Structures are given as structure tokens and as C-alpha cells.
């Protein structure tokens, strides 16, 4: 009864006791050891293998706990009789029937863009805020302070609504935008992402539809798929949702709400003008449909004049507003918020409680301390300055490098802008060339509800500095010009042929 | 144009600029100021009110941003013309149509037990682990260490599956129970609560049913309601699910999975014996239905011999297993885990990503450091010792104080045991008397899928020490005896009349 053990401590291999247990499990499963067969004593086997007796004892203990062997005091250790049903079925792996919603979600996931590229590739694809700007030490100090002051209380379950100090601090910030918010109207979420899911679930259940802008944030399309909800597109025109289309869509009985990003739209980078916001609310009111305002980048305005959020213009309670620290500070605290009113707040709390009982008080309390101390405002000042410089670098580079027929948006805040190539382009198909040329971007198809090809693409200010932006935009422009030379646009052809 | 301002700095009242803005908003909404009316200049109003000019400027800015007034350079500041549609509708609050699922969930929430009691009442109702035992300083040091070592990387979005170090540490713990787990098979969740929701969603969508033990964990009933799923009860008999009933229920096409707590069942405190576990798996295999094993208190065994979890007995992949730090360490990190295999892991990742993009890496990494350093095992040793003492105190007190006809379970781990009063009792109805007598318990009805009255109740070892447990059980026994005296049991009546 000797067998090979792998004893090299650094190979990351199995611990010796697990190797022993695995050996016997294998022998039993292969039928070389049968029910009633006697195993060597712990002392014998330890001597044979040259290992500690405790090691063998732990292995036997595991085999015993998992039902492969049983020890009888005074008689020895024997292979157990397996249950008939288990023995016959043990080899056939079980194929669980997944919910049809999950199957559809897996299809959705498979179509996700994978950005595999060498490390030096300029990252103009991602909206993860720049880690070199995170106030790590300040946040660590805030964590220490709140844990020191409030101790174990912070490690209990918190209220499903979230830490009261952070809700109060957020409500104060929201009031400064003209909203009528209080700590009671704010519910904390795991980033805006969970906020989106909870807001959708407030109004819509599997089989229902939700109106979304087209293009829209791709993860909203994923959230809709995961909930069994259909996306009904409202086209963006001139940087704001088309109100005629919105009115028509909201009249449909199956459409339960409108999800919109009026401030620094993702992926467009545009903002809905004030008058347009008012008209949008009037349309939603006339249709009797709630509006989910995703104000995830509201704090990142670096140019132009602030426009009040929809929630500040809404005196009736049409709007449920999502905010987040993920883009303006860092995503790692996983803290966002929903501002709502009345019965909607009760419904949110019930949904949040049924989802996870509530978020982490520790991180919420540390964020509250950071906000109240002015750390967040100081950080915003720094980030806005950085983003303005990067936007200007990007606009300059685009103007300098891009051929005629290419257009782009000029955001006044946030992390992204949109580039529209001539109609003949499919930017998903362009991406591999761009990666080879040294730049990543987010192709437009993924922001469409049906993922049909798009000639648009999203560029990000989040991760690249001014020099990288110049290099990245130049590389992208080179790829675009090469394509145009290889296959000139039809409209150019026609102009030539006339 | 003078009006009262509240300037007391310590009253927590509105900032002065907000009071000014609110005044004008009120005047406009009440019709005392109409479109085109001129507001005082900033300089005039600042002098009249005796405030800084900046304060007035901020107030006007807010009113302008929210569309109440507009400033025209050189002419002054005027009340704006409101849009007709807004003006006429502004006063009618909007009543959003909530999803029918949410309405049902709100009904569920309204029936929740509220435990309002004086502070000195003995808390035998709650399974929140004892905050006096939390290793706050050790955890704070772990947080500091990981933030110091990994810095901003930890504050980015993490992988949806969760921190790799914690997944590896958990997989190692699971392997020690006989499971074939690796870091790749473990997905981190917001406590077992989110794990329950994700596991249910894997297999069942709105309209489907899920088999649950009766009694079962009340928040699972809430999670089912929130997902539009029906609960089909499998009665607990002798501390384990009735297998005949299970077989019959799992044959139903609408029943998509079985949710079970084989180790330290909530609310019963019992564990399913080994042979029973094997038979349960054979039944699930024969029916082709997956098993959701909630092993939330698995680490809290303080007596008896460990029984392998269902996931360790399952060679085929029938079982999705939930674990959590919430009961064994503290709930505030909001970390639990799901161990699964193959395609189910992909599905979980897709669901987790669509729910919130993933949890907080910071807390996960700190927990990983705490586990790897042995802090978690040290904590478990201390907690198990404490719980064993408390369990013994409770069993002694029950034996000493309770009248004949009262029975209870004797848990070998976990935080709770179950007391069954004579059939004539409705423990929900008994609770107010118990609170008056100085003790809280969890009445049994809430653990039933239909919430029909129950003569059972759950007592907790989590928050009360030995002396409090004695006092609490004595108080409860007093209330029970008083009831029996006031309305003797029928079976006693009959015995007397024979």
C-alpha cells in the first residue's frame, strides 16, 4: 500500500493529507477497493509513506466524513457500503436546467466586447476613473476613524436604507442642485448598478418593457435582460432623447418607465438642455409613466453652466434619481444612491432588504466622514481640473487628426465623448485594427438595444493623460484614414463621378 | 421685502441661502409673485436681511437653476414664465404604478414582526451575532494592511466573482469539509442573503415554484416573494425534511429547486443526519432538480461530530452551496459565498455582474488577510466556546423552568433552538405578554410559507449571556404557565374528565 506523494512545498500542489484521501477515493471509485475492504492502520500507513501519523489521521477523517470509509473501534478502518442509488449515478454529471432568463443573459454576456491588448495600448475604452487620482490615504484614515469611533456597531447589519450620516450628506448635496431631498428620501445602493436594477424592478416585472435612450449604457441592457424586461429605444437626436418618439413610446401600455441619462450621457457625453428636460417631464407626466434619472456623473461638470437634474425640476414625484461615487471618486466603495419619494421609498427598502438586507455600513460611514470633512469636494476640484485638461487635449487631437466626415461631441463634464465616423464604418470591425495601431475604444454597437452595427464609438477621458490621448487619437485617426483610402466612401465616389 | 430667517447655527436648520430660495419659491408657488415680477437686487436684499451678498447670490443662482427666476444682464432678476403644462400639474402628486411583485412584497413586509421592547428586555429573538465578540481591531488592522499594500487597485471595480485571495481561502476551508472546491468554483456575494437570491434566480423565474423546508428562514420567503416565486413546503420531521414529501414535491414540473439548511437549521437548530443527507441527494438526483444548500452557520459547530455538507456528498454537481461570515464573524462585511460547478458558475457570474458589477474588494481583501492569518479560526474557537456555554445555560433553564408538554431542540452548533409549546398556543399572540415579562423571542408563524399561526418559537443564543438567558427563559416559562392556568389544555381537560 505505497503510492507516490508530491512533497515539493512550493509547487502549490495538494497538501499531503489530501493526496492520501484522493488516492483512496480514487481506488474506491475505480472499484479496486470494495465495501468491507480493510485499510492499513494509521501507524502502518504513516510508516510506509514516511509521513506524520497526524497527516494520515486527517486524511482518514476526511474519508470518513465524506462517507467513503468507516472506522470501528478495536476492529480497524473499512471501505463503506455505498448507497445503491449513489453508486449507479455517481459518474453521470448533473446538467441543471437554468432559468430561461439566465440562458438569455448568458447569450448577452457572450456578445460582450473583450478588450485584449498589449499593456502599452492607449486605454480610451474604459470609464473606470483614474486610480492614480484616488485619495487612498484619506479614505483609509476615514475608515480608521469611523471604526475607532463606532467600533462593532458598524460591523452589525445596518438599516437596509444605509448609513444615516451618508444619506444626510448626500441629501444636502442634492438640495444644492435644487432637489427637495432629505436623508429619508435617499436609499444607498451597491453603486448606481444596483440602483438601476432596483429602480427597474420598482415599476417593471418580467415581460414588461422599459423605454431607454438609443444609444444607452450597455450594462442597463444587461440589467434589463437579467430581469426579463424588453428595451424599447428612444433615439437620441442632437444629444437629447427625441421627444416625439418618447411620447409615442410612453403611450404603450407595456412600457412601464423611461430610463434616461440627462447629464453627461453614456456613451454620448452630451447633456439634455433645460427646456428639453422640462418638456420631457411634461410628456412623462401626461403618459403617467415614471422617469429613472441616472445622474451617475452629475458631480463631474468641468465646464459650462449647471443644469438642474430632472429630479429638481419635478415637483410631483415622477422622477427616481440614481447617483454614484463610482465615477466621481472610485468604484471600490460600491456606493450609489437612489433619491425617491413617498411610497416609492418604502418599495425600494423592501426590494433592497429582499436583495441583500442592506450594504456595508463600514464603507458607507467612512464615505460619510470623507464627504462631511470636505474631502470629496476637494477631490472633485482636482478631478474636474484634470478632466477638463484631458477633454481639451482630446478635442484638439480630434480636430487636428481626424479626416473630414468625422464628427464628435464636446462634453461639459463626465468621462466620455462620442465620435461618429462616416456611415460606412462598423466600429466593432474597426477595433482590431485600432488595437494593432495602439489604441482601444468602445465600439458603438454595444450601446444599442439590438446590438446592430454602429459607425459610432465612445472615447474615454478616464485613464489616459494628455500625451496618451494625443497618441491614441492620432493612432485612431490613422486607422480611419487608411480605411477611407482602401474603400472610399460612396458619397465621395459619387462626388467624383458627377 | 423682509422676512424671518433662522440664523441659530446649532439648530440644524436650513442654511440661510436655502431659506431665502425657499421663501421666493413659496411666494411664486402661492401666486404672490407672478411671471415678470422683479426681485430685489442682490445688494438690496443682502442689506435688508443683513446677510452677505454671496449668500443672496447663491440663493438666486439656485432659483435660476431650478427655473423659478431668470436674470437678464443690466435689467435685473425676474420671476420666470412657467410652462403651462407644469403649472397646471405641479400640484397633483404623481402616483407611480408599482410592479405587482413589489406590491406583493410590500404586503409581505407589512406582516413582519416588529420587536419593540424596553432596552432591558432579554433579546432571545435575534440572530445578529454578539457585537461584544467582534474582532474589530484585528479587522481594522487587516483593512489598513491591505489598503497599504494594494492601494488604489483595491478601490477599482473588482472581478464580479470577488477577491481571488478570499475565494482561495474559502475554497481551502471548503475542501477541509470534503468538498472538491477551488477558488474558481467560489463566487462572493453580499452575505448569504444575496447568495440566496442569486441561487434562486439560477433555476427559477417569476411564476415558478421552489421547494422549501417548513418551517424555513423567513427572509427566504421574502426573497421568493420579491422574485415572484412560490414556496412549496416540505415539512420538517424530527429535525430533517420529510423525504416522502420531498420526493412528491420535486416531481412537480413547476418546482425548480429545493432550498435546504441541513446544518443548524433556521429556525429549528437541528441538523439533517448523514444517511438522510445521502437519501435527500438521491431523491433530488432522481427528480433531476438542483439543491440549494444554505450552510450559513456551518462554521459554528460547538458539539457533536461534524457531518459533511451536502456539497461534499454530491459527486455530480446537484448542489449549489451558500456560506457566509455574517453569523460566524460579523455581518458588517456583507460577505458570503456560493460554491458551484461548471456552467452554474458562469451563470452566477452573469447574474452577479448584472446585479451590481461585483462587491467591495476592500472588505473582501481584508477578510482574506484575516482568514489567512488564522484570525478567523481563533475567532471561531472563542465563539464556539461562548455559544456552547450559552446553549447549556439555555437547555438547563428550559428543563428547570418549562412546564410539561413543552419540547425543544438541542442544537450542536449555530445560534438558535426551537421551542414547541402545546398545540393550543399561538406564539405570535403570546409575544406581547412575553415582552411585558421581559423577554423577546421569534414567533413561529413567520417561518411558515403561509404564515398560519404556530405553537413554536425560536430562541437565540446570539445576544444574551448565561445570566440573561436564565432570566429570559424563566420569564417566558412564567408567561406560558400563566396561560396554561388561565386556559388549561384540552388534553389536560380530557385527562381530568376521564
Amino acid at each position: 500500500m505505497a503510492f507516490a506523494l508530491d512533497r515539493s512545498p512550493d509547487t502549490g500542489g495538494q497538501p499531503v493529507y489530501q493526496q492520501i484521501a484522493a488516492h483512496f477515493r480514487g481506488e474506491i471509485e475505480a472499484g479496486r477497493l470494495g465495501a468491507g475492504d480493510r485499510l492499513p492502520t494509521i501507524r502502518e500507513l504513516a510508516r510506509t509513506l514516511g509521513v506524520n501519523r497526524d497527516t494520515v489521521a486527517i486524511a482518514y477523517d476526511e474519508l470518513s466524513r465524506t462517507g467513503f470509509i468507516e472506522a470501528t473501534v478495536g476492529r480497524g478502518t473499512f471501505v463503506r457500503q455505498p448507497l445503491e442509488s449513489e453508486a449507479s449515478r455517481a459518474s453521470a454529471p448533473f446538467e441543471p436546467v437554468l432559468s430561461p432568463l439566465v440562458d438569455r443573459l448568458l447569450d448577452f454576456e457572450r456578445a460582450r466586447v473583450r478588450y485584449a491588448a498589449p499593456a502599452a495600448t492607449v486605454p480610451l475604452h474604459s470609464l473606470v476613473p483614474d486610480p492614480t487620482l484616488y485619495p487612498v490615504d484619506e479614505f483609509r484614515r476615514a475608515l480608521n476613524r469611523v471604526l475607532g469611533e463606532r467600533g462593532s456597531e458598524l460591523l452589525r447589519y445596518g438599516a437596509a436604507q444605509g448609513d444615516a450620516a451618508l444619506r444626510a450628506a448626500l441629501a444636502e448635496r442634492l438640495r444644492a442642485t435644487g432637489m427637495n431631498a432629505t436623508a429619508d428620501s435617499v436609499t444607498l445602493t451597491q453603486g448606481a448598478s444596483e440602483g438601476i436594477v432596483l429602480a427597474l424592478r420598482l415599476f417593471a416585472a418580467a415581460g414588461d418593457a422599459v423605454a431607454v435612450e438609443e444609444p444607452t449604457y450597455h450594462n442597463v441592457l444587461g440589467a434589463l435582460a437579467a430581469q426579463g424586461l424588453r428595451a424599447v429605444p428612444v433615439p437620441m437626436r442632437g444629444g437629447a432623447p427625441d421627444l416625439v418618439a418618447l411620447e409615442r413610446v410612453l403611450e404603450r401600455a407595456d412600457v412601464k418607465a423611461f430610463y434616461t441619462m440627462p447629464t453627461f450621457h453614456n456613451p454620448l457625453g452630451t447633456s439634455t438642455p433645460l427646456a428639453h428636460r422640462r418638456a420631457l417631464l411634461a410628456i412623462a407626466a401626461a403618459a403617467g409613466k415614471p422617469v429613472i434619472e441616472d445622474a451617475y456623473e452629475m458631480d463631474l461638470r468641468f465646464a459650462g453652466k449647471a443644469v438642474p437634474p430632472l429630479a429638481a425640476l419635478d415637483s410631483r414625484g415622477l422622477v427616481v434619481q440614481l447617483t454614484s461615487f463610482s465615477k466621481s471618486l472610485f468604484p471600490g466603495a460600491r456606493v450609489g444612491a437612489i433619491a425617491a419619494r413617498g411610497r416609492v421609498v418604502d418599495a425600494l427598502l423592501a426590494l433592497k432588504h429582499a436583495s441583500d438586507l442592506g450594504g456595508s455600513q463600514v464603507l458607507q460611514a467612512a464615505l460619510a466622514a470623507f464627504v462631511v470633512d470636505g474631502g470629496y469636494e476637494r477631490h472633485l476640484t482636482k478631478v474636474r481640473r484634470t478632466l477638463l485638461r484631458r477633454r481639451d487635449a482630446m478635442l484638439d487631437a480630434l480636430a487636428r487628426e481626424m479626416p473630414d466626415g468625422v464628427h464628435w461631441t464636446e462634453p461639459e463634464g463626465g468621462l466620455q465623448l462620442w465620435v461618429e465616423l462616416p456611415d460606412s464604418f462598423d466600429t466593432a470591425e474597426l477595433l482590431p485594427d485600432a488595437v494593432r495601431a495602439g489604441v482601444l475604444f468602445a465600439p458603438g454597437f454595444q450601446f444599442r438595444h439590438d446590438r446592430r452595427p454602429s459607425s459610432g464609438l465612445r472615447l474615454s477621458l478616464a485613464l489616459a493623460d494628455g500625451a496618451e490621448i494625443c497618441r491614441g487619437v492620432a493612432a485612431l485617426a490613422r486607422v480611419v484614414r487608411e480605411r477611407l483610402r482602401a474603400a472610399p466612401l460612396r458619397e465621395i465616389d459619387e462626388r467624383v463621378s458627377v
Side-chain angles (χ1 to χ4, degrees), chain A:
Chain A
M1 185 59 72
F3 50 92
L5 291 175
D6 173 9
R7 284 159 223 251
S8 47
D10 298 326
T11 55
Q14 272 189 312
V16 170
Y17 83 89
Q18 280 181 18
Q19 295 181 49
I20 298 171
H23 166 77
F24 285 109
R25 216 161 31 226
E27 296 291 292
I28 294 166
E29 283 171 353
R32 285 187 291 270
L33 279 175
D37 283 355
R38 188 185 183 132
L39 267 62
T41 65
I42 289 173
R43 181 192 295 253
E44 280 164 22
L45 187 59
R47 203 172 41 223
T48 314
L49 297 175
V51 302
N52 196 294
R53 272 187 249 162
D54 283 351
T55 306
V56 178
I58 295 170
Y60 277 23
D61 201 46
E62 182 178 319
L63 287 165
S64 164
R65 275 189 292 103
T66 49
F68 285 93
I69 63 173
E70 57 194 338
T72 314
V73 177
R75 286 188 53 230
T77 304
F78 299 90
V79 176
R80 249 184 80 108
Q81 184 71 46
L83 290 181
E84 275 306 301
S85 55
E86 275 181 291
S88 57
R89 292 201 191 95
S91 51
F94 174 71
E95 276 298 333
V97 180
L98 297 177
S99 144
L101 286 187
V102 171
D103 272 326
R104 279 206 289 280
L105 182 63
L106 285 170
D107 286 342
F108 183 90
E109 284 296 315
R110 270 186 285 273
R112 211 173 257 284
V113 182
R114 313 275 165 213
Y115 298 99
T121 315
V122 181
L124 302 184
H125 63 305
S126 161
L127 299 194
V128 175
D130 194 339
T132 64
L133 301 174
Y134 300 172
V136 180
D137 284 334
E138 242 183 306
F139 186 64
R140 193 166 52 78
R141 281 195 296 274
L143 269 172
N144 276 300
R145 213 179 80 201
V146 295
L147 267 172
E149 283 170 12
R150 294 169 59 186
S152 58
E153 183 240 311
L154 279 185
L155 296 173
R156 299 183 64 145
Y157 293 102
Q161 193 161 11
D163 183 73
L166 184 54
R167 289 189 287 111
L170 282 175
E172 193 183 328
R173 293 187 62 83
L174 296 178
R175 282 196 298 274
T177 73
M179 283 170 62
N180 200 6
T182 66
D184 286 343
S185 56
V186 174
T187 301
L188 302 183
T189 57
Q190 287 276 104
S193 314
E194 194 200 23
I196 290 168
V197 173
L198 295 179
L200 292 173
R201 289 175 64 197
L202 279 174
F203 307 118
D208 289 336
V210 172
V212 298
E213 293 156 335
E214 175 113 315
T216 191
Y217 174 38
H218 59 295
N219 282 331
V220 169
L221 298 173
L224 290 168
Q227 298 297 326
L229 299 170
R230 280 167 299 114
V232 178
V234 175
M236 293 291 286
R237 296 213 192 287
D242 182 322
L243 294 179
V244 176
L246 178 66
E247 192 159 22
R248 202 177 52 235
V249 165
L250 289 189
E251 271 167 14
R252 285 172 48 170
D254 61 333
V255 172
K256 304 300 183 187
F258 176 43
Y259 169 85
T260 178
M261 291 166 285
T263 308
F264 317 137
H265 181 274
N266 183 3
L268 299 184
T270 54
S271 292
T272 302
L274 179 61
H276 205 102
R277 293 183 186 214
R278 293 182 184 278
L280 185 161
L281 287 174
I283 288 168
K289 300 288 167 73
V291 175
I292 301 168
E293 175 185 34
D294 191 344
Y296 69 113
E297 281 181 347
M298 185 167 61
D299 287 345
L300 288 180
R301 177 172 290 279
F302 48 66
K305 200 158 158 276
V307 186
L310 291 175
L313 301 171
D314 165 38
S315 55
R316 300 183 55 203
L318 281 164
V319 177
V320 171
Q321 187 200 62
L322 314 177
T323 51
S324 174
F325 287 100
S326 295
K327 302 303 181 195
S328 53
L329 179 61
F330 44 66
R334 308 305 301 118
V335 176
I338 307 185
R341 304 187 205 176
R343 219 163 90 82
V344 174
V345 178
D346 298 335
L348 277 171
L349 292 185
L351 283 173
K352 178 68 178 160
H353 190 273
S355 296
D356 62 6
L357 304 182
S360 155
Q361 287 192 98
V362 190
L363 295 172
Q364 294 172 0
L367 264 185
F370 182 72
V371 173
V372 170
D373 288 357
Y376 183 53
E377 263 310 323
R378 283 192 299 274
H379 176 74
L380 286 177
T381 303
K382 190 172 74 172
V383 168
R384 288 181 190 131
R385 210 159 42 213
T386 304
L387 289 176
L388 176 59
R389 268 201 313 269
R390 291 181 181 177
R391 183 206 62 168
D392 288 345
M394 190 171 277
L395 293 181
D396 287 351
L398 286 166
R400 198 167 54 232
E401 305 282 352
M402 283 294 171
D404 285 350
V406 177
H407 306 282
W408 51 87
T409 59
E410 302 197 355
E412 297 187 329
L415 299 173
Q416 67 282 346
L417 63 75
W418 183 253
V419 177
E420 193 67 48
L421 301 182
D423 283 351
S424 61
F425 277 84
D426 171 355
T427 50
E429 192 257 333
L430 191 72
L431 184 58
D433 284 0
V435 171
R436 272 189 294 274
V439 63
L440 281 160
F441 63 78
F445 81 96
Q446 62 189 321
F447 305 106
R448 288 180 155 173
H449 76 292
D450 53 4
R451 289 176 160 173
R452 68 187 187 285
S454 162
S455 55
L457 59 91
R458 187 188 70 190
L459 294 182
S460 164
L461 310 169
L463 287 169
D465 65 21
E468 289 174 307
I469 285 173
C470 288
R471 193 150 49 85
V473 170
L476 178 59
R478 209 156 52 235
V479 172
V480 170
R481 283 194 307 264
E482 277 163 19
R483 281 289 173 109
L484 287 174
R485 269 199 299 276
L489 291 179
R490 200 173 345 174
E491 60 173 36
I492 297 178
D493 282 351
E494 281 166 1
R495 232 178 284 157
V496 169
S497 71
V498 168

